[in-house]
Amino acid sequence: MSGQSITDRITAAQHSVTGSAVSKTVCKATTHEIMGPKKKHLDYLIHCTNEMNVNIPQLADSLFERTTNTSWVVVFKSLITTHHLMVYGNERFVQYLASRNTLFNLSNFLDKSGLQGYDMSTFIRRYSRYLNEKAVSYRQVAFDFTKVKRGVDGVMRTMNTEKLLKTIPIIQNQMDALLDFNVNANELTNGVINAAFMLLFKDSIRLFAAYNEGIINLLEKYFDMKKTQCKEGLDIYKKFLTRMTRISEFLKVAEQVGIDRGDIPDLSQAPSSLLEALEQHLASLEGKKVKDSTAASRASTLSNAVSSLASTGMSFTKVDEREKQAALEEEQARLKALKEQRLKELSKRPSFATTDTSPISTTGGTISTAPAIDLFSTPSCSNGAVKMESDLFDLQSTFQPSMQSASSGLPVATAWAGYSTPQPPPQPPAGSLQVDFESVFGTKATGSNSHSVDDILKPTLAGSNQPSNQQPDKLVSDDLDSSLANLVGNLGIGNGTMKK
């Protein structure tokens, strides 16, 4: 099985429609592809845990929902994504997991789809148990053992006796759950389980380092403890020796699968004489007969044991610091690459400077100073006449009479308050409707008394060159009422039937 399945794409599309970027990214990080979750998806989810406006319960619920899938790939990758956020995400993600009553309920998980499903289901059950124990540990002590301050002034080295005896068993339980993953090198056969193993490997180094420092603190206080405390302390130390053997085997598997030898810490066993000294001290407190041992020899044995364990702790700390430094350098390299890519993108953007091909560029470096045309200005008269350029606004052509003389010499008004010399009217097309006003009124005016309706409706230009011998019945150009009165008079004169 390779590539995203149709189910993966449909699920991601559904979350795209609902607008949940977090849920969509969770789906993309936990696809059916047999490979570890992609780094870009994990980085985005880590970023989400640091954003205060992101709903952490919703993020966790999305991961829990993916673990209900029947495919071992989806479930395993959901656990890996959760583990990754617990390690590298904001602490409030772990806090929320620790506050839940139940986490992963996968103790009976089994993928029966194939042989590989059967094999991987075993590791899923073990892995989920470790993540549950990791969250429970945080709930009990209110901090993550893999992230506590270490060293002489660290958390585990400065803890008092009572708290120390309660805290070390919690580390032991988490360490047991981790080592119970119990994988061999020949079982790390795909990218999914390999990704889980790498997270467990890093956790084992940090967890054992804290465990080791707790034991050092315990040994330094052992000979000053009460009898019941010494008994608890001795039992803790014996279990520690057993876990040291198991962690050594776990680290051997890491070396076999190709993890660099420099990234694997060295384990230094405490001298066997220390265990004997601890047992004799407890026996003496219980009143049993033991062989005599001087305080000097006891102190020497304790000093050697603490020195060995401190050496182991230093080795684990160096590996952890090296891993953190490598992660820091990787992040710096990634940021540098992003910066360079951004600079390249900016350099490829077109310049905003004006060029010859620009629609706003000027020819020959000059700027035209010709005035712009004002479509709404009133055109000026030149020699008493202006020809309008557009027939769209020349409304007078509709009313041109068929008998108007082109040589009358009378200027006429235009629709834009200008004046123009009358032009010969165009011949009406054949079949068009023509109205003969003279025939309607029963007379035909001749000579200077011939007027058209258009002449009636048009005011005459004041101050224009008009004949001085204008007839009395001539239209008064600037008075529409007078013009209408003259029209009635002319019609009465021309028709004898109307005037008795």
Side-chain angles (χ1 to χ4, degrees):
M1 183 186 300
S2 61
Q4 294 186 27
S5 67
I6 296 178
T7 305
D8 295 331
R9 298 180 186 277
I10 293 175
T11 306
Q14 289 174 342
H15 290 299
S16 296
V17 171
T18 58
S20 177
V22 173
S23 298
K24 179 181 177 181
T25 306
V26 168
C27 290
K28 287 183 173 293
T30 58
T31 60
H32 287 76
E33 297 174 278
I34 304 182
M35 59 181 291
K38 293 182 179 178
K39 187 176 184 301
K40 63 179 181 180
H41 298 143
L42 295 176
D43 288 344
Y44 177 78
L45 293 177
I46 290 173
H47 172 73
C48 289
T49 64
N50 292 312
E51 292 293 326
M52 298 307 297
N53 59 339
V54 172
N55 191 329
I56 295 297
Q58 179 188 353
L59 170 58
D61 288 342
S62 298
L63 290 168
F64 290 136
E65 181 184 355
R66 295 296 282 173
T67 61
T68 61
N69 199 285
T70 57
S71 170
W72 71 267
V73 182
V74 175
V75 176
F76 217 153
K77 291 172 76 170
S78 301
L79 297 176
I80 293 170
T81 303
T82 303
H83 191 182
H84 195 90
L85 296 182
M86 294 176 77
V87 174
Y88 300 106
N90 191 283
E91 190 174 3
R92 65 196 187 110
F93 180 77
V94 184
Q95 290 174 347
Y96 173 73
L97 295 182
S99 68
R100 291 176 60 104
N101 293 327
T102 59
L103 293 177
F104 300 108
N105 185 18
L106 298 171
S107 57
N108 297 319
F109 177 80
L110 182 62
D111 185 345
K112 300 179 181 179
S113 61
L115 181 61
Q116 191 176 33
Y118 275 96
D119 295 338
M120 293 297 108
S121 295
T122 301
F123 295 107
I124 286 175
R125 294 192 295 269
R126 296 172 181 173
Y127 193 29
S128 64
R129 178 177 175 270
Y130 169 71
L131 295 181
N132 287 343
E133 193 63 42
K134 185 178 177 72
V136 170
S137 296
Y138 189 95
R139 182 191 307 164
Q140 292 175 321
V141 298
F143 60 83
D144 188 342
F145 289 116
T146 63
K147 298 180 181 180
V148 294
K149 181 181 179 181
R150 295 195 293 270
V152 178
D153 58 344
V155 174
M156 299 304 297
R157 289 290 295 271
T158 57
M159 196 172 288
N160 60 50
T161 303
E162 290 76 12
K163 191 174 182 180
L164 185 65
L165 292 174
K166 294 179 180 179
T167 302
I168 293 181
I170 298 174
I171 301 181
Q172 287 178 340
N173 291 337
Q174 186 175 339
M175 180 61 71
D176 289 343
L178 189 153
L179 297 175
D180 284 344
F181 192 71
N182 196 26
V183 65
N184 297 321
N186 57 1
E187 292 173 316
L188 299 173
T189 56
N190 59 74
V192 180
I193 192 173
N194 289 349
F197 180 78
M198 285 302 301
L199 288 174
L200 290 172
F201 169 72
K202 294 175 181 179
D203 264 14
S204 67
I205 293 176
R206 297 165 182 164
L207 186 59
F208 190 82
Y211 189 15
N212 186 72
E213 290 192 349
I215 295 298
I216 293 175
N217 189 12
L218 175 69
L219 294 176
E220 290 175 339
K221 290 180 168 62
Y222 182 81
F223 294 100
D224 297 325
M225 291 180 182
K226 300 176 182 178
K227 182 175 66 174
T228 55
Q229 293 175 335
C230 286
K231 189 174 182 178
E232 291 180 32
L234 180 60
D235 183 61
I236 288 174
Y237 181 71
K238 288 180 179 179
K239 290 180 178 178
F240 171 76
L241 296 178
T242 303
R243 274 111 185 126
M244 181 173 280
T245 303
R246 294 188 64 190
I247 191 68
S248 177
E249 295 173 354
F250 184 85
L251 296 179
K252 286 180 181 179
V253 175
E255 186 177 358
Q256 291 172 2
V257 296
I259 295 178
D260 190 84
R261 187 67 185 86
D263 294 332
I264 300 176
D266 297 322
L267 292 175
S268 301
Q269 295 281 353
S272 58
S273 57
L274 175 62
L275 179 58
E276 183 180 356
L278 297 178
E279 290 175 337
Q280 288 182 359
H281 178 69
L282 176 60
S284 66
L285 292 178
E286 292 176 343
K288 296 179 181 179
K289 190 175 182 179
V290 294
K291 65 178 182 179
D292 295 334
S293 60
T294 62
S297 63
R298 194 167 56 207
S300 175
T301 302
L302 179 60
S303 176
N304 292 335
V306 169
S307 177
S308 299
L309 294 178
S311 176
T312 299
M314 288 295 296
S315 178
F316 276 80
T317 300
K318 286 180 181 179
V319 170
D320 187 26
E321 293 297 329
R322 191 181 301 117
E323 193 270 335
K324 289 181 180 179
Q325 183 64 28
L328 179 61
E329 292 175 356
E330 180 183 354
E331 183 66 15
Q332 290 176 344
R334 186 177 70 86
L335 292 175
K336 182 179 179 181
L338 289 175
K339 182 179 179 181
E340 293 176 352
Q341 181 181 359
R342 180 62 176 166
L343 291 175
K344 288 181 180 179
E345 291 176 356
L346 291 175
S347 64
K348 290 180 180 179
R349 288 188 178 181
S351 174
F352 290 100
T354 303
T355 61
D356 290 341
T357 58
S358 172
I360 62 172
S361 62
T362 58
T363 304
T366 61
I367 300 177
S368 174
T369 58
I373 299 174
D374 189 353
L375 297 178
F376 300 97
S377 64
T378 302
S380 60
C381 296
S382 176
N383 297 327
V386 175
K387 181 71 173 67
M388 295 297 295
E389 296 294 336
S390 175
D391 290 337
L392 179 62
F393 301 105
D394 193 1
L395 303 179
Q396 69 182 19
S397 61
T398 306
F399 303 102
Q400 288 293 342
S402 60
M403 300 298 294
Q404 184 176 354
S405 173
S407 60
S408 62
L410 294 177
V412 295
T414 65
W416 287 79
Y419 299 89
S420 63
T421 305
Q423 299 296 327
Q427 296 297 326
S432 63
L433 178 63
Q434 300 183 21
V435 180
D436 190 346
F437 289 97
E438 289 81 2
S439 299
V440 171
F441 291 101
T443 183
K444 290 185 179 290
T446 59
S448 61
N449 294 331
S450 177
H451 300 284
S452 67
V453 175
D454 196 36
D455 291 333
I456 296 173
L457 301 179
K458 295 177 183 177
T460 306
L461 176 65
S464 61
N465 297 327
Q466 296 182 358
S468 60
N469 57 347
Q470 184 178 359
Q471 298 297 325
D473 57 346
K474 191 71 174 178
L475 296 178
V476 179
S477 61
D478 59 347
D479 191 343
L480 181 57
D481 294 335
S482 300
S483 299
L484 292 174
N486 290 337
L487 174 63
V488 174
N490 290 337
L491 292 176
I493 295 171
N495 191 348
T497 60
M498 296 180 61
K499 192 173 183 181
K500 295 182 180 179

